[in-house]
Amino acid sequence: MPLRDTSADHAATDRTFQVDLRGLVDLLSHHLYSSPRVYLRELLQNAVDALTARHAVEPHGNFGIRLYADGKVVRVEDDGVGLTEADVHTFLATIGRSSKRADRIAEQRADFIGQFGIGLLSCFLVADEIHVLSRSARTPDAPAVEWRGRGDGSYTVRTLPASARPRPGTTVTLTPRSDAGEWTRPQQVHALARHFGSLLRHQVSFDDGSGGPGTPVNPEPAPWARSFPTPGARSRALAAYGEEVFGFTPLDTIELDLPAVGLKGIACVLPEAVPAGRRHGHRVHVKGMLLSEQAEEILPEWAFFVRCVVDAESLRPTASRESLYEDATLAAVRDALAERLREWIARAAASDPDLLGRFLQTHHLAVKSLAVHDDEILRMLLPWLPFETTDGHTTLDEFARTHRTVLVTSSVEEFRQVAAIASAAGLGVVNGGYTYDRELVHRMPEIRPEVSVADLDPATLTAHLDPVDRETELAAAPYLAQARDALAVFDCDVALRTFQPASAPALLVDSREARHERTRSRLAREQEGGLWGDILGALRQEAPRAQLILNQLNPLVRTAVAIDEPELARTSAEALYGQAVMLSRRPLRPAESSLINRSFLDLLAHALRKDS
């Protein structure tokens, strides 16, 4: 229902908001704002917008914002454009109407941060009464206007002589509730002002009522907005700022500058590895005012090795002004920032291999996960990524210079089984058992067409092991038969070959897939006749066997194959199998653990009997 305007007679008139104020404040506190502390941000936003409007009227004026908190009141005073009595009725009587939507300044909408009506309401999160005293700079000799709003939904408006506020501008005074001391103590008000307003372009000062001079809230511009004598000095200042904001020393800082949207800032490369896919919140300021510390949406998901602090002109806040509105502008900004990060990686690869090496050493898993899905990153970084190989930990680029055919295992245990023997045989094998590694190695020919990549299988390895001569094979046949019988329980065959290094007595060639196939076949045999047995039987094929390859060049093996005592021969074969299993570093099955213990004790007992 329309309000009766009686403010011209200077008499205080009770009026009522055109909303359920208590319900609206509950909505703000529980569903819109994350914390009551946003009241100070909203007051600062209103003050900044008022100064922006004042500068449109007086471009060369020197205007500022002053905060005051003494434990009894919180006051925010600005030298902005101020409000007329008509403005007060328009913007404070109907909650949610914004002075920035008024026709007379609609063309300047992009210059403003917030909305005066809703922003002022946030103060009811910490106070039961809000007092506004304002004087317009648009009208010479304009009277002062006082607006006093209360938590019960009522308010009063009256005009006062111009002397009530000698200078144009607005003063908002809060009388905090007793339960709001956490957010309205002087130290907290100062901390919140620094938190939200450290990058504001207008002068902001704070006074705690102690009688001393006001303390600057934003004493200097952001480091990217300042000039430095040398590039090195600039780089150090940016790194120091990143450490101050995030609490860690960046591995490097990447300066961000997107003139099209008025965005400037830095990306700080994390000095420690993070789990792949974990996204960090970034600090986003809009026109100097802190919008969010957890703005994940400013960067793509793959950029989890950096944290950013940026200040932008054209990004659009959500209604709560605590996150960014997902629109075409934000999508374009995200793509542009992603390109800046790619450019940094490319520059490091081209001109600073030491920096790139430290970056990849720290974030190689993160980069590998990115390279799997990002072809550009794959082409850029795959040759530089470290992998575990038979030549040690090295990059694929370095490894491919020595090995034109690259073999890759499907598991860590397979690599550990064959690494020493493959290296001695001159085979180039990469451990593909770690996350992303096998998939990435198989994409190496896309970057280096002259390199071929294949999975390593037992046949490839055994083909590089030299057979023993016929006479030696016949002499060892009885021992090999006893060894096969002893290890049949493990579905393991036994063969005699020669290979380097001679210090390796045996090689166990077995794969996880082969073990799974043997387990399935065993289950089928145990379930023969049942429904489950029929299903497994339909899938049954000749189960691949493990193979224990004894090294004829090893002195211990040459002694073992000459053993003519059946029990000792079986025990020695079990011991060689147990040692080969432990070298593979795969988890031991209970039967294998028992075998290793039994063979050790039997050999010890045999040695003691022999000595006695």
Side-chain angles (χ1 to χ4, degrees):
M1 128 181 174
L3 300 178
R4 187 168 59 89
D5 184 0
T6 60
S7 59
D9 58 5
H10 298 237
T13 303
D14 283 337
R15 303 170 185 271
T16 304
F17 294 119
Q18 296 177 359
V19 295
D20 176 359
L21 180 59
R22 292 189 184 278
L24 183 55
V25 170
D26 180 74
L27 178 67
L28 295 178
S29 60
H30 291 94
H31 302 284
L32 187 62
Y33 294 127
S34 61
S35 164
R37 68 177 185 169
V38 300
Y39 83 93
L40 192 68
R41 183 197 65 195
E42 298 295 331
L43 290 177
L44 284 174
Q45 285 184 345
N46 288 336
V48 169
D49 287 343
L51 292 180
T52 302
R54 179 77 181 272
H55 275 290
V57 178
E58 303 176 49
H60 304 295
N62 183 21
F63 309 122
I65 302 169
R66 295 165 294 282
L67 304 180
Y68 176 88
D70 61 2
K72 298 178 181 178
V73 298
V74 175
R75 184 180 303 127
V76 178
E77 181 180 3
D78 67 69
D79 300 322
V81 72
L83 299 172
T84 65
E85 182 184 0
D87 292 334
V88 168
H89 290 305
T90 300
F91 306 131
L92 298 184
T94 304
I95 298 304
R97 181 176 296 174
S98 171
S99 61
K100 273 66 73 179
R101 287 203 298 263
D103 292 340
R104 52 193 165 86
I105 56 173
E107 69 277 7
Q108 299 172 343
R109 181 66 182 89
D111 295 332
F112 299 96
I113 303 172
Q115 294 182 343
F116 190 82
I118 291 293
L120 192 64
L121 268 189
S122 68
C123 296
F124 282 117
L125 298 174
V126 297
D128 280 330
E129 183 172 288
I130 304 172
H131 177 261
V132 178
L133 182 63
S134 187
R135 182 182 167 195
S136 176
R138 299 182 186 278
T139 306
D141 301 323
V145 183
E146 179 190 65
W147 179 93
R148 192 180 298 270
R150 291 173 288 276
D152 61 4
S154 63
Y155 73 95
T156 59
V157 176
R158 61 174 180 164
T159 56
L160 300 173
S163 58
R165 198 183 197 288
R167 295 184 301 176
T170 300
T171 302
V172 179
T173 304
L174 309 182
T175 304
R177 293 196 308 270
S178 58
D179 62 351
E182 177 184 359
W183 308 110
T184 57
R185 290 193 299 268
Q187 300 93 325
Q188 181 70 298
V189 172
H190 185 215
L192 291 176
R194 285 280 300 162
H195 179 74
F196 289 118
S198 62
L199 297 187
L200 289 176
R201 292 83 183 267
H202 303 284
Q203 295 178 355
V204 184
S205 63
F206 173 76
D207 181 1
D208 62 3
S210 61
T215 304
V217 168
N218 51 345
E220 57 185 7
W224 52 80
R226 304 200 303 266
S227 299
F228 295 90
T230 65
R234 183 178 185 84
S235 178
R236 288 189 294 272
L238 294 175
Y241 182 75
E243 183 172 4
E244 176 187 348
V245 170
F246 295 121
F248 62 80
T249 302
L251 189 67
D252 195 21
T253 55
I254 308 164
E255 192 159 0
L256 307 174
D257 187 3
L258 303 179
V261 291
L263 183 146
K264 291 180 178 292
I266 56 172
C268 297
V269 182
L270 293 162
E272 297 179 353
V274 294
R278 176 185 291 178
R279 300 186 69 184
H280 291 284
H282 307 287
R283 289 177 64 96
V284 175
H285 299 251
V286 174
K287 304 178 184 68
M289 182 69 69
L290 178 64
L291 180 77
S292 174
E293 298 174 273
Q294 300 297 326
E296 296 181 354
E297 61 273 18
I298 195 72
L299 287 181
E301 291 186 8
W302 58 259
F304 45 83
F305 51 84
V306 298
R307 292 193 68 182
C308 291
V309 52
V310 299
D311 185 19
E313 293 287 335
S314 301
L315 294 180
R316 180 182 171 191
T318 59
S320 67
R321 295 189 288 285
E322 295 185 328
S323 59
L324 294 170
Y325 189 82
E326 188 69 46
D327 57 10
T329 299
L330 179 58
V333 166
R334 185 163 48 238
D335 291 344
L337 292 180
E339 185 60 29
R340 297 296 183 273
L341 297 184
R342 288 191 180 95
E343 290 172 358
W344 173 80
I345 294 174
R347 285 197 305 272
S351 60
D352 197 341
D354 180 63
L355 172 60
L356 182 68
R358 287 185 284 119
F359 168 66
L360 292 179
Q361 184 179 13
T362 302
H363 297 290
H364 61 89
L365 183 60
V367 174
K368 285 178 180 179
S369 72
L370 169 60
V372 167
H373 306 290
D374 190 310
D375 290 344
E376 186 173 350
I377 293 295
L378 176 79
R379 291 190 297 272
M380 188 184 303
L381 289 184
L382 182 60
W384 296 85
L385 289 171
F387 289 82
E388 185 179 7
T389 74
T390 46
D391 290 353
H393 281 83
T394 185
T395 65
L396 280 186
D397 200 46
E398 189 70 27
F399 192 67
R401 294 177 187 175
T402 308
H403 306 282
R404 292 303 185 189
T405 298
V406 176
L407 302 172
V408 57
T409 65
S410 59
S411 69
V412 174
E413 63 191 62
E414 288 177 13
F415 177 80
R416 289 169 177 167
Q417 287 172 16
V418 306
I421 288 84
S423 178
L427 297 176
V429 182
V430 178
N431 185 352
Y434 295 114
T435 306
Y436 311 117
D437 283 14
R438 183 167 173 265
E439 183 176 355
L440 288 172
V441 174
H442 272 286
R443 298 190 66 179
M444 186 64 181
E446 298 176 28
I447 316 301
R448 298 284 185 269
E450 70 276 11
V451 176
S452 62
V453 176
D455 287 325
L456 177 67
D457 57 51
T460 303
L461 182 63
T462 55
H464 285 78
L465 305 182
D466 296 327
V468 297
D469 58 70
R470 183 173 180 79
E471 183 179 344
T472 302
E473 182 80 30
L474 289 173
Y479 177 85
L480 296 177
Q482 292 173 340
R484 293 187 185 104
D485 182 63
L487 301 180
V489 66
F490 300 112
D491 293 316
C492 184
D493 196 7
V494 183
L496 185 65
R497 298 286 187 272
T498 63
F499 54 86
Q500 295 293 338
S503 58
L507 167 67
L508 180 64
V509 179
D510 195 15
S511 67
R512 184 180 301 173
E513 291 76 11
R515 291 198 302 276
H516 288 171
E517 178 60 34
R518 292 196 298 271
T519 299
R520 188 175 66 183
S521 297
R522 186 173 63 255
L523 286 173
R525 291 193 299 270
E526 293 172 354
Q527 299 287 338
E528 199 71 48
L531 176 62
W532 185 238
D534 293 341
I535 295 174
L536 290 176
L539 298 174
R540 185 186 305 170
Q541 51 184 303
E542 186 64 29
R545 307 189 73 193
Q547 193 171 36
L548 180 69
I549 302 177
L550 304 180
N551 186 4
Q552 176 64 18
L553 298 180
N554 183 268
L556 177 62
V557 171
R558 289 200 299 270
T559 302
V561 297
I563 295 174
D564 55 9
E565 298 180 35
E567 288 302 318
L568 182 59
R570 290 176 62 90
T571 300
S572 66
E574 291 173 342
L576 288 169
Y577 175 83
Q579 190 255 2
V581 170
M582 289 191 293
L583 285 178
S584 73
R585 301 184 189 179
R586 69 167 169 82
L588 296 175
R589 291 175 285 180
E592 291 171 338
S593 297
S594 176
L595 174 141
I596 291 170
N597 291 332
R598 185 179 68 251
S599 62
F600 171 76
L601 293 174
D602 289 349
L603 288 175
L604 180 61
H606 180 272
L608 292 176
R609 286 196 303 270
K610 184 177 180 181
D611 289 342
S612 61

